[in-house]
Amino acid sequence: MTKSEIKKYYKIIGYVNAILSLLYLLFSIENELIERFFFAIAINIVYNMMYFFFAGIYKGTMRTRNHNKFNKNIGGIMLRIFAFSGMLVSIFLLYILVSNVISFHEYLNLYMICIPFGFFLGAYSLWIDIKKE
């Protein structure tokens, strides 16, 4: 998968996330309207933050890692571990979210399903940047 494909999937899942947030805002009757509004905004912010946090780490650490060969080698190893653990944590987060929804019959919490995908896409974007080195 290339960076352009990751960005394409990021946009598609972002639109799905926005639609799910709007559906939660309209159809949830458990909370007040203002609480639902802030939940919908928070879910969208967390989705975007997870992606941009991981995707921006490579560019943010480029200047520091290029000072010498030791920083480049050790920094690259650390970023690989960080990207791999981010992908694993996103899969684990998705499993926990789906299993809690199924076991507790709280199907309304599925509106948060896009957060692990943003997490995974950001970590995978970091992984691709590191592999290019």
Side-chain angles (χ1 to χ4, degrees):
M1 191 177 333
T2 63
K3 291 283 280 188
S4 62
E5 289 175 334
I6 290 175
K7 288 179 183 178
K8 180 181 77 170
Y9 291 132
Y10 168 73
K11 286 181 182 179
I12 291 170
I13 295 173
Y15 291 137
V16 170
N17 190 26
I19 291 168
L20 288 175
S21 296
L22 286 175
L23 290 174
Y24 174 77
L25 183 65
L26 295 174
F27 295 116
S28 175
I29 55 174
E30 296 175 352
N31 300 325
E32 296 290 325
L33 181 64
I34 194 74
E35 290 175 2
R36 292 182 296 194
F37 180 72
F38 283 119
F39 283 149
I41 289 176
I43 294 302
N44 283 300
I45 288 173
V46 170
Y47 169 75
N48 290 304
M49 276 180 29
M50 285 294 141
Y51 175 78
F52 285 118
F53 173 71
F54 277 98
I57 288 175
Y58 182 77
K59 289 181 184 175
T61 61
M62 189 66 128
R63 192 176 68 191
T64 306
R65 288 186 304 116
N66 287 336
H67 281 295
N68 56 37
K69 193 172 183 173
F70 177 78
N71 283 358
K72 188 168 184 155
N73 290 337
I74 298 301
I77 291 169
M78 289 172 56
L79 286 178
R80 280 184 184 89
I81 292 170
F82 193 64
F84 185 72
S85 65
M87 288 186 285
L88 285 179
V89 167
S90 69
I91 292 168
F92 181 70
L93 194 72
L94 182 64
Y95 172 76
I96 293 295
L97 179 67
V98 171
S99 67
N100 282 342
V101 164
I102 291 171
S103 64
F104 296 123
H105 302 290
E106 295 177 352
Y107 301 108
L108 191 60
N109 288 338
L110 278 177
Y111 73 95
M112 296 186 295
I113 196 80
C114 294
I115 291 175
F117 290 111
F119 202 119
F120 183 83
L121 289 174
Y124 193 67
S125 175
L126 174 61
W127 183 263
I128 288 176
D129 285 339
I130 294 168
K131 284 181 78 173
K132 278 195 269 186
E133 277 189 354

